[in-house]
Amino acid sequence: MTGAWGVAAGIIGSLIAAAAMVAAAVFTARATKAAARLTAEAQRTTAAVQAEPQQRAEDRAAFESIKTELRQELTSTRDEVRSLRSLVRAFAWYVGELTAQMRANRIEPPAPPPRIDDYNRTGV
């Protein structure tokens, strides 16, 4: 019987060793997955940190572009306002001359709209 017990002990030992190897493989696989996940997260974080200066530079360039465009638009608007003011003054002078000619010929011109009276009084 000693031989049978020896064979049985050897088989049982082999089965325990095989089970231990499977358990070790499962724990190793879990640890490897966890390590890979942590490594990937660390790499994403590193990439984000390294990309930050580049992103700031891109944001700055976009801001400068917008600022330049707005300055050009503001300058254009100011020029247009100056032109319109000049036109209104010239038109007001022209209408004034026509009104004076009408009165010189004894023709009473129609009363101007209230907005024109406001402009004549305030210049605005």
Side-chain angles (χ1 to χ4, degrees):
M1 206 116 145
T2 312
W5 284 106
V7 170
I11 291 173
I12 292 172
S14 294
L15 290 175
I16 291 174
M21 286 177 57
V22 168
V26 169
F27 288 125
T28 301
R30 284 185 181 173
T32 301
K33 285 181 184 177
R37 189 172 41 249
L38 288 175
T39 301
E41 186 177 327
Q43 288 173 344
R44 278 193 299 272
T45 302
T46 301
V49 168
Q50 290 174 347
E52 182 67 24
Q54 178 64 26
Q55 183 62 44
R56 285 185 180 211
E58 290 173 8
D59 290 347
R60 178 92 176 148
F63 176 74
E64 290 296 329
S65 173
I66 291 168
K67 189 169 72 171
T68 300
E69 183 180 329
L70 287 175
R71 282 185 177 160
Q72 291 171 347
E73 189 175 324
L74 180 61
T75 299
S76 173
T77 301
R78 284 179 178 166
D79 292 343
E80 185 177 352
V81 167
R82 283 187 196 112
S83 175
L84 289 172
R85 281 182 183 160
S86 173
L87 177 64
V88 167
R89 287 183 183 125
F91 189 71
W93 178 84
Y94 179 70
V95 170
E97 288 294 315
L98 290 177
T99 301
Q101 285 181 7
M102 289 176 74
R103 286 192 176 129
N105 290 314
R106 295 189 179 108
I107 301 171
E108 187 59 32
R115 176 69 179 106
I116 300 298
D117 281 335
D118 288 344
Y119 176 79
N120 287 336
R121 273 187 287 114
T122 64
V124 179

